[in-house]
Amino acid sequence: MDQQLARAEQGVRELRATRNDRWYPKFHIAARAGWINDPNGLCHFNDRYQVYFQHHPYSSDWGPMHWGHVSSADLVTWRREPIAMAPSVAEDRDGVFSGSAVVSDEHELLVYFTGHRWRNGVDEDDGNLQVQCLAVSKDGITFEKQGTVVECPDGLMHFRDPKVWRTGDRGYMIFGACSPDNRGEVWLYTSDDMRDWTFDRVLYRDPDPHTFMLECPDLFPLGDKWVLTYCPMGRRPKKYRARNRHNAGYVVGTWSPGEEFRPLTEYRPIDWGANYYAPQSFQAPDGRRLMLAWMGSFGIPAASQLTDGWSGQMTVHRELTLGDDNRLIAVPIAELTQLRTATHDFGLVAMGPNETRTLAENVDAAEVEIDIDLAGSTAERVGLAINKTPDGHETLVGYDDLARRVFVDRRNSGHGNRGYRAAPCSSGRVKLRVLVDRGSVEVFVNDGAETVSSLIFAADGPRSIELYTECGDATIPRLVVHRLGSIWEDAR
Ligand code: FRU
């Protein structure tokens, strides 16, 4: 693989020289240049948090997949690492697809991934040939491929994205499959030595008849429940749901080794934004369940993909808990507050009807905390205009009292895909944390009860943040704007 990796590093160096940084993230993980999608192999190994990701180092479009790599001692400052894996053997000839990592008793990093081939050797027209593979590393940097550990039954088109964990002294592996009758399923395999894997059962089948594949499944405990997350392919849009070409959701249930997974809830979106896909979780050494997802686009290209030499970024790391109503709660990890470089506390703010107020100018990365007192407000919409540029472009983030939703409206963002996305917010309480990076926004509603994450590509010029009301006034008991610094150890 050494030769392929050296070539890939050269490819990314060349692209890096052309990278335009107007939308390049300051506090979200992204590749130096080129394309990225799913987070892979998330773990804490050798005293560092390791994040691998699907990566095409030769262009800002999807292509033969490599595993890119960054690492961090503290989840705040990140170091670029060499590309970890490239297509190099027969079974991953056309791509080292998504997968996960576990640390062995011998203190090696075991990564399980999908080796991908096009059946016709060129494209998807005649389908895929996908198998689950193992690679082993002593340092998390260089990997030795060990070949296939799970073969694909004859004729199955989609068979990928292993997520592996250990419970007691057994290994468990789930991945997504398209059944012979074209339905999306999660398959479970088990192993006593992490090398020989045996089919256990079809753990889950999505009830939606249009859903033909469940990409990137994950199954993890929260309290006394288990959460199954996955990305259904084929879901049809319904009202505010499944509006993206690629959607991610979850089901909460019970599970224990040797048992069925028994759902207690219906499928629900994890995030309501335009760009949230392929989430993967892992357990931090202190016991927290953390999750990372890809913000990108397979359909309409991201604006940066067309002109700027890079495409795709991760969300921030989110800490997960389960609410009393079995709702997945996701908040930015506590470490994120260390990125704050300057803070302006506006205290209590009273806004008149149809008023606009500038909160911050020349902003590239910021966090806004805003509570809205609905009982003391009559506004139909109240919120923030972020990425406001001198030519009048802006993205709106706020609360809509007619729909009782928190929205991100990209109608007038500047570049890239438009569209409106909104999360339910009918509790009578509106408390938002809004993370604004150069090319994205993540909104956390009511302490993580809902989230809305979308890429946004601002127009040219300095960007400001405004507060606004529409058709009524607003009482805002808390309003704080923090500027945020960079996560990168060096500027590369
Ligand atoms: C999801 C996905 C995975 C696959 C990978 C390929 O985004 O399609 O199913 O392993 O991306 O890059």
Side-chain angles (χ1 to χ4, degrees):
M1 186 161 53
D2 292 356
Q3 225 181 335
Q4 287 87 343
L5 288 175
R7 201 153 14 98
E9 289 292 347
Q10 180 57 27
V12 111
R13 260 196 306 277
E14 282 167 23
L15 264 183
R16 170 67 188 90
T18 70
R19 192 181 85 196
N20 183 335
D21 281 354
R22 60 188 156 164
W23 303 312
Y24 189 80
K26 202 166 162 188
F27 66 95
H28 289 87
I29 292 168
R32 276 167 293 163
W35 164 279
I36 73 169
N37 53 293
D38 320 351
N40 293 154
L42 305 182
C43 61
H44 188 261
F45 178 65
N46 274 353
D47 297 324
R48 295 183 71 81
Y49 293 91
Q50 315 287 342
V51 171
Y52 305 87
F53 48 83
Q54 291 285 280
H55 184 28
H56 185 230
Y58 296 106
S59 83
S60 50
D61 298 328
W62 190 89
M65 280 293 121
H66 295 55
W67 273 34
H69 183 199
V70 295
S71 76
S72 170
D74 57 6
L75 293 169
V76 181
T77 304
W78 290 84
R79 179 201 288 169
R80 313 270 191 196
E81 301 286 5
I83 294 172
M85 290 197 284
S88 63
V89 295
E91 54 259 81
D92 63 26
R93 179 188 68 200
D94 297 320
V96 183
F97 272 17
S98 282
S100 58
V102 290
V103 179
S104 75
D105 292 336
E106 294 74 38
H107 201 74
E108 293 164 322
L109 193 63
L110 309 178
V111 302
Y112 298 88
F113 64 91
T114 299
H116 168 75
R117 268 169 288 182
W118 305 118
R119 270 184 200 279
N120 63 12
V122 190
D123 57 28
E124 63 189 336
D125 285 359
D126 297 319
N128 311 316
L129 187 51
Q130 300 183 326
V131 292
Q132 317 318 338
C133 302
L134 170 66
V136 179
S137 176
K138 290 194 180 351
D139 56 7
I141 310 281
T142 54
F143 287 83
E144 235 172 74
K145 290 183 183 169
Q146 316 260 304
T148 300
V149 293
V150 175
E151 294 282 359
C152 183
D154 269 358
L156 287 198
M157 253 288 277
H158 300 282
F159 196 74
R160 59 179 175 273
D161 307 338
K163 177 72 200 292
V164 175
W165 72 95
R166 300 208 297 177
T167 300
D169 47 16
R170 297 204 91 184
Y172 296 83
M173 176 193 292
I174 56 166
F175 51 82
C178 175
S179 69
D181 63 343
N182 215 31
R183 295 285 294 269
E185 295 183 338
V186 174
W187 290 25
L188 173 68
Y189 281 62
T190 61
S191 173
D192 291 327
D193 62 4
M194 304 306 282
R195 278 163 173 82
D196 277 338
W197 292 87
T198 316
F199 175 76
D200 184 271
R201 70 190 73 205
V202 173
L203 192 72
Y204 181 78
R205 179 176 165 102
D206 189 285
D208 172 27
H210 305 297
T211 293
F212 61 88
M213 168 65 183
L214 310 183
E215 290 191 312
C216 302
D218 194 352
L219 181 65
F220 52 86
L222 280 182
D224 59 352
K225 309 282 178 5
W226 284 73
V227 182
L228 177 66
T229 62
Y230 59 91
C231 301
M233 295 176 84
R235 259 288 192 296
R236 304 211 169 147
K238 196 171 173 200
K239 296 189 175 169
Y240 289 89
R241 292 170 178 239
R243 284 281 147 192
N244 303 330
R245 182 162 149 193
H246 287 79
N247 304 284
Y250 70 98
V251 169
V252 178
T254 56
W255 179 77
S256 52
E259 298 291 322
E260 300 290 327
F261 173 73
R262 295 196 175 82
L264 297 167
T265 68
E266 309 243 285
Y267 171 90
R268 203 165 185 277
I270 301 178
D271 184 289
W272 299 81
N275 307 96
Y276 182 95
Y277 200 64
Q280 187 176 99
S281 78
F282 73 105
Q283 192 171 28
D286 60 10
R288 286 178 298 172
R289 176 62 54 172
L290 307 185
M291 188 174 249
L292 208 55
W294 170 52
M295 297 182 75
S297 170
F298 277 126
I300 295 175
S304 68
Q305 189 176 340
L306 299 172
T307 46
D308 288 7
W310 69 278
S311 179
Q313 63 176 53
M314 299 302 159
T315 59
V316 296
H317 278 84
R318 298 178 181 182
E319 181 181 350
L320 302 180
T321 49
L322 208 57
D324 294 339
D325 53 356
N326 285 332
R327 177 194 300 256
L328 196 56
I329 311 240
V331 294
I333 50 167
E335 288 88 338
L336 206 85
T337 57
Q338 294 172 41
L339 288 173
R340 294 173 181 169
T341 55
T343 292
H344 187 155
D345 189 338
F346 291 82
L348 175 110
V349 177
M351 289 283 283
N354 303 311
E355 196 184 332
T356 300
R357 220 178 274 187
T358 300
L359 302 181
E361 290 181 311
N362 293 315
V363 178
D364 62 352
E367 173 182 350
V368 183
E369 299 179 88
I370 176 170
D371 297 357
I372 303 162
D373 173 7
L374 292 185
S377 306
T378 58
E380 292 186 356
R381 297 208 298 179
V382 51
L384 306 168
I386 60 172
N387 282 357
K388 176 110 189 173
T389 48
D391 62 2
H393 285 98
E394 63 191 8
T395 298
L396 301 181
V397 176
Y399 173 71
D400 179 337
D401 197 47
L402 282 69
R404 299 229 171 139
R405 287 191 171 251
V406 168
F407 62 87
V408 171
D409 187 346
R410 304 185 298 178
R411 165 73 183 82
N412 188 27
S413 286
H415 298 265
N417 205 6
R418 297 178 177 182
Y420 165 95
R421 292 289 182 276
C425 182
S426 53
S427 58
R429 196 173 148 241
V430 185
K431 178 179 178 200
L432 307 182
R433 259 180 96 180
V434 182
L435 302 181
V436 183
D437 204 342
R438 291 192 191 133
S440 65
V441 66
E442 287 174 80
V443 185
F444 294 83
V445 183
N446 291 340
D447 300 309
E450 311 289 355
T451 59
V452 190
S453 307
S454 297
L455 296 174
I456 45 170
F457 299 105
D460 292 342
R463 302 166 191 171
S464 60
I465 299 179
E466 286 179 349
L467 178 66
Y468 75 93
T469 52
E470 283 175 10
C471 286
D473 56 21
T475 303
I476 295 169
R478 177 173 158 78
L479 178 62
V480 184
V481 178
H482 311 273
R483 290 178 188 263
L484 301 183
S486 166
I487 59 168
W488 297 111
E489 205 169 76
D490 64 38
R492 277 182 304 151

